[in-house]
Amino acid sequence: MTDQTETVPGTGRAGEVHADVCVVGAGPAGLALSLMLLRSGVGVTLLERSTGLRRDFHGEILQPGGQRILDDLGVLEAAREHGACALDGFQVLQDERLVLDIDYRRLPAPYDCLLALPQRHLLHELLAACRAQPGFTLLEGYRLSGLLRDGGRCTGAVAQRGGGRTATVRARVVVGADGRYSRTRMLAGIDAGRTEAFDQDVVWFALPAPGRATGHVRVHRTARGALLVHDTHPGRLRVGWTLPHRSWNRVAALGIDVIRAELAAALPGCADLFHDHLRSLTDLTLLDVFATQADRWVDDGLMLVGDSAHTHGPIGAQGINLALQDAAAAHPVLLDAVRAGDASRDRLLPYEQRRKPVAASVHRMQRVQAKALLGRGGPVTTRLRSHAAALVTRSRLGERITRKVAHGTDPVAVRTDLFDATPAGLRTTGDRV
């Protein structure tokens, strides 16, 4: 994926690139937003600190709302062809007894499933689509080191790569799409608004499991806690083991043999897989589960999207969905700002005003879901949860909840009517000095 990359020559002197918009972070939100802007005639320079877009672990469950956006961009089917797993919905099992069944097949086709899509497949297609557009420059392997300022207005970014290479990107707007630990947000002096909203952390791992597909995202609840399990490509199960918040160091000190035994006791049907494939602690990846809601998402010349603006827990598989919807909501606002030559906070504010309440709503929903699905409790609590789950499964309430989780409270569509070949601003391919 690196052979076509445009980079600033490593001559030891600074390279300078001019663009309408500088996007920091080549994840789903950053690439999707870049593609929307490019197709609207906006010149985009994309900074990505990794090379080859290698990402060891990232969420991969796409809700129908996110699928629709990718379909509007024309990349969903191509990404699926690399390998994906369609899942019929969410299930909760209490001691291996089904108590909750959220069936996505009730939703209108073609977005009537969850999709486990490895992120590398998605990023590959989004990047290929960006490269097919004029006005795109990818600075790969460059880490954001500073923001350019003119008074209080952001006017670009400075990034560095190994070997002393420096790139200066001058842009009308800088968009931070660089994740939960966003350097863009930090350099802009914006507080992340972190809260310890969840009682659990999640340890993730994947196991080869040919012939063991379930066709669902499942939460297996026992007296020992909860395991999240879903199929993933190719022929694997991805498992999330929930632990009390900040208890991982104590658990890890027990060693992999004790951990394997604990997992096997919680999910006996996968005991052989745990024994055969979990060899060391390096096979496990800890996700520190917390929530963030940045105090502001836009400034003069600056915008935050996705996890840079708001971070969520894994319950309900909302992360990628929200990030893609953020990109679709940001696209017309940024296009308007570039065309007007005005990237002030007031001009960018409609994006924040639209999406910030959505993120807050998901935070509230996830806190309830985490306590209901993952929280610990005695026999009485377990019975109450089972009765509530049965009600949701059998009633029309379940259908309403499914639609809300699948598409969100603000089901954003891509403004394809704004796609054209007319230059919107500088429309450069990257001027270098």
Side-chain angles (χ1 to χ4, degrees):
M1 295 174 60
T2 61
D3 54 340
Q4 301 179 49
T5 302
E6 297 180 54
T7 58
V8 175
T11 60
R13 60 186 177 86
E16 187 163 297
V17 182
H18 293 261
D20 297 320
V21 177
C22 174
V23 177
V24 183
L31 278 167
L33 178 57
S34 295
L35 182 56
M36 294 176 208
L37 292 170
L38 290 163
R39 287 182 175 167
S40 298
V42 174
V44 176
T45 293
L46 178 60
L47 298 177
E48 169 55 37
R49 68 177 183 178
S50 70
T51 56
L53 299 186
R54 288 190 296 269
R55 289 164 181 246
D56 295 331
F57 173 79
H58 284 267
E60 60 185 31
I61 297 291
L62 279 173
Q63 292 279 0
Q67 294 173 44
R68 177 188 175 188
I69 287 172
L70 295 172
D71 220 2
D72 287 345
L73 292 174
V75 300
L76 181 61
E77 284 308 308
R80 289 187 69 163
E81 288 174 3
H82 291 290
C85 295
L87 307 172
D88 289 338
F90 285 101
Q91 293 182 336
V92 178
L93 295 90
Q94 179 68 47
D95 298 317
E96 298 308 296
R97 180 174 62 88
L98 183 65
V99 296
L100 177 64
D101 189 0
I102 301 296
D103 190 350
Y104 273 52
R105 291 171 296 182
R106 297 177 179 178
L107 299 172
Y111 312 117
D112 54 354
C113 69
L114 294 160
L115 192 64
L117 179 66
Q119 202 166 110
R120 64 185 180 278
H121 298 169
L122 173 58
L123 300 184
H124 176 89
E125 291 302 325
L126 284 169
L127 179 57
C130 287
R131 282 180 168 145
Q133 299 295 315
F136 178 61
T137 299
L138 173 65
L139 299 182
E140 192 174 28
Y142 280 82
R143 182 175 185 268
L144 180 68
S145 58
L147 296 175
L148 301 176
R149 295 281 187 180
D150 182 359
R153 181 169 63 94
C154 183
T155 59
V158 178
Q160 294 181 326
R161 188 176 181 177
R165 305 183 209 183
T166 299
T168 299
V169 183
R170 300 193 181 277
R172 297 177 186 267
V173 188
V174 174
V175 177
D178 47 343
R180 54 175 23 207
Y181 302 109
S182 172
R183 189 164 176 81
T184 309
R185 182 186 63 219
M186 183 269 292
L187 289 170
I190 298 175
D191 183 69
R194 173 169 173 155
T195 59
E196 304 301 328
F198 303 100
D199 297 330
Q200 302 86 18
D201 289 331
V202 181
V203 176
W204 289 100
F205 53 93
L207 303 169
R212 306 277 279 272
T214 69
H216 291 84
V217 176
R218 285 180 169 170
V219 177
H220 294 263
R221 286 188 50 83
T222 73
R224 295 174 177 268
L227 292 173
L228 291 74
V229 183
H230 69 80
D231 312 333
T232 188
H233 177 82
R236 297 162 71 84
L237 290 178
R238 190 173 293 283
V239 181
W241 180 30
T242 64
L243 295 171
H245 193 39
R246 293 182 172 170
S247 67
W248 171 240
N249 288 341
R250 174 180 56 79
V251 173
L254 299 175
I256 192 64
D257 291 336
V258 173
I259 289 174
R260 274 199 304 259
E262 180 71 17
L263 290 168
L267 192 57
C270 291
D272 59 323
L273 301 179
F274 300 142
H275 179 270
D276 293 343
H277 301 294
L278 291 183
R279 296 299 184 186
S280 73
L281 294 176
T282 59
D283 295 326
L284 310 174
T285 300
L286 174 67
L287 175 65
D288 179 16
V289 180
F290 57 85
T292 67
Q293 176 81 291
D295 56 1
R296 61 189 189 278
W297 295 16
V298 297
D299 267 340
D300 291 338
L302 184 78
M303 176 181 285
L304 302 176
V305 299
D307 280 359
S308 298
H310 52 91
T311 303
H312 303 266
I315 290 294
Q318 291 295 311
I320 301 177
N321 216 47
L322 288 168
L324 290 171
Q325 290 179 331
D326 280 357
H331 162 229
V333 176
L334 286 168
L335 181 59
D336 171 71
V338 169
R339 286 177 171 169
D342 175 11
S344 64
R345 171 173 166 79
D346 286 345
R347 198 91 188 194
L348 301 178
L349 194 57
Y351 156 74
E352 178 182 312
Q353 291 173 330
R354 177 177 184 178
R355 295 298 296 170
K356 201 170 187 179
V358 175
S361 174
V362 172
H363 280 136
R364 291 192 295 270
M365 179 180 68
Q366 285 196 327
R367 284 195 292 270
V368 173
Q369 290 174 321
K371 289 181 178 179
L373 300 181
L374 306 180
R376 297 169 184 264
V380 174
T381 302
T382 296
R383 284 197 299 272
L384 290 173
R385 285 187 179 128
S386 296
H387 289 315
L391 176 64
V392 170
T393 297
R394 299 191 192 107
S395 70
R396 299 196 65 175
L397 175 63
E399 294 183 32
R400 292 197 296 271
I401 291 174
T402 302
R403 288 195 299 271
K404 184 175 180 180
V405 173
H407 292 283
T409 58
D410 178 29
V412 188
V414 178
R415 290 287 305 276
T416 55
D417 60 300
L418 298 177
F419 291 172
D420 60 50
T422 303
L426 297 179
R427 199 65 164 88
T428 65
T429 57
D431 300 326
R432 299 177 185 139
V433 296

